[in-house]
Amino acid sequence: MAQDTSGFSDAALPLFGAVAGVTVPPAPVPSYLRDHRKRLRARFLDGGADAMPDYELLELLLFRAIPRQDVKPLARSLIDTFGDLNRVIAAPAARLRAVGGVGDAVIAELKLAQACAQRMARARVMNRPVISSWAALLDYCHTAMSHRETEQFRVLFLDRKNVLVADEAQGQGTVDHVPVYPREILRRALELNASALILVHNHPSGDPTPSQADIDMTQTILAACAALSITLHDHIVIGQSCELSFRSSGLL
């Protein structure tokens, strides 16, 4: 038989393929998978999150991103990779994408959950007196920063009644360093007519013990604040599951 050298081949047509003008409906969800999802949602609605392990909560998040597949293996893979649900949700998109089965839809769902958690925590402290909501402030700082893989430096700007009027990231750094510019911090404080500041940064290592560079930088900002009659209330270092207050530790 002569060999066809034309560059074309006669491929078999699919029995149920796409036809011009005809929309092929998506394959139905298998009954066993539909029942599993229904049971998991019912457990969550009946008993709440406390009785569910991290991987099951993560499954619930993944249901919408991956509607017609078993997401339990992916949920377990993500927990195994990052350690717990918090770290999965807070992980950078590039690291999430390196896990097999993670695409844009999964990343969008996880980042949406992260954004909602941060917004809810932030709402508990914004435009409220900081001194009377100190625990909520610490919760917000942990939600926003404790699972970051690089250092971030934030400044909380307060008015004369110690009401939080702005929360801004002033610097992004590496795993053990973040650049801080006292002049820019004070310039921004004057723009906002702030009367007091709280400095916050995280240690990705999990240990909130301040370095000598942290201490020296805080003293520099303290001196600059004093020159402008601005109060520096505290510098908080956020660790993995705890924090360190410069004022409580006698460093301020």
Side-chain angles (χ1 to χ4, degrees):
M1 179 181 293
Q3 183 177 3
D4 180 7
T5 58
S6 64
F8 296 93
S9 62
D10 292 329
L13 293 175
L15 183 59
F16 299 103
V19 179
V22 177
T23 300
V24 179
V29 179
S31 59
Y32 77 90
L33 190 56
R34 185 172 59 249
D35 291 344
H36 170 69
R37 294 185 174 205
K38 183 178 179 180
R39 287 194 301 270
L40 204 57
R41 289 191 179 105
R43 283 181 52 210
F44 175 73
L45 292 175
D46 292 341
D50 290 344
M52 302 181 73
D54 279 3
Y55 81 89
E56 288 188 336
L57 290 177
L58 188 51
E59 278 190 78
L60 289 170
L61 283 175
L62 296 176
F63 282 171
R64 192 170 66 170
I66 307 176
R68 281 175 286 278
Q69 293 180 26
D70 182 5
V71 297
K72 183 184 292 185
L74 178 56
R76 287 187 177 276
S77 178
L78 285 166
I79 296 294
D80 289 344
T81 300
F82 296 102
D84 59 33
L85 181 61
N86 286 334
R87 290 186 180 92
V88 171
I89 292 175
R95 289 201 60 201
L96 288 169
R97 204 180 299 277
V99 177
V102 174
D104 289 343
V106 169
I107 292 173
E109 290 297 320
L110 296 177
K111 292 298 127 185
L112 175 60
Q114 182 184 24
C116 289
Q118 292 183 2
R119 289 283 181 93
M120 291 173 67
R122 191 171 188 265
R124 295 175 59 200
V125 297
M126 284 302 300
N127 301 314
R128 299 184 184 186
V130 166
I131 304 305
S132 61
S133 56
W134 192 253
L137 179 69
L138 294 179
D139 286 345
Y140 165 61
C141 291
H142 275 282
T143 300
M145 304 176 73
S146 66
H147 297 289
R148 291 182 59 88
E149 295 185 334
T150 57
E151 286 197 13
Q152 182 185 69
F153 190 88
R154 305 182 75 91
V155 181
L156 310 182
F157 299 92
L158 287 68
D159 67 11
R160 59 186 179 82
K161 294 182 179 180
N162 286 325
V163 171
L164 182 61
V165 294
D167 158 37
E168 298 180 355
Q170 295 290 315
Q172 311 286 342
T174 63
V175 294
D176 59 1
H177 173 72
V178 60
V180 178
Y181 304 101
R183 182 173 180 173
E184 290 302 309
I185 293 172
L186 273 299
R187 179 188 64 79
R188 184 61 176 148
L190 293 174
E191 288 179 351
L192 294 169
N193 197 29
S195 296
L197 307 176
I198 297 174
L199 311 178
V200 189
H201 85 280
N202 65 305
H203 279 179
S205 67
D207 180 1
T209 304
S211 66
Q212 188 58 50
D214 293 338
I215 296 171
D216 294 343
M217 174 268 294
T218 304
Q219 291 301 316
T220 299
I221 295 176
L222 177 63
C225 285
L228 296 174
S229 298
I230 294 175
T231 301
L232 179 58
H233 279 312
D234 208 342
H235 183 173
I236 302 168
V237 185
I238 300 295
Q240 191 63 58
S241 57
C242 58
E243 71 283 334
L244 180 140
S245 160
F246 268 55
R247 186 165 296 282
S248 296
S249 300
L251 297 172
L252 189 63

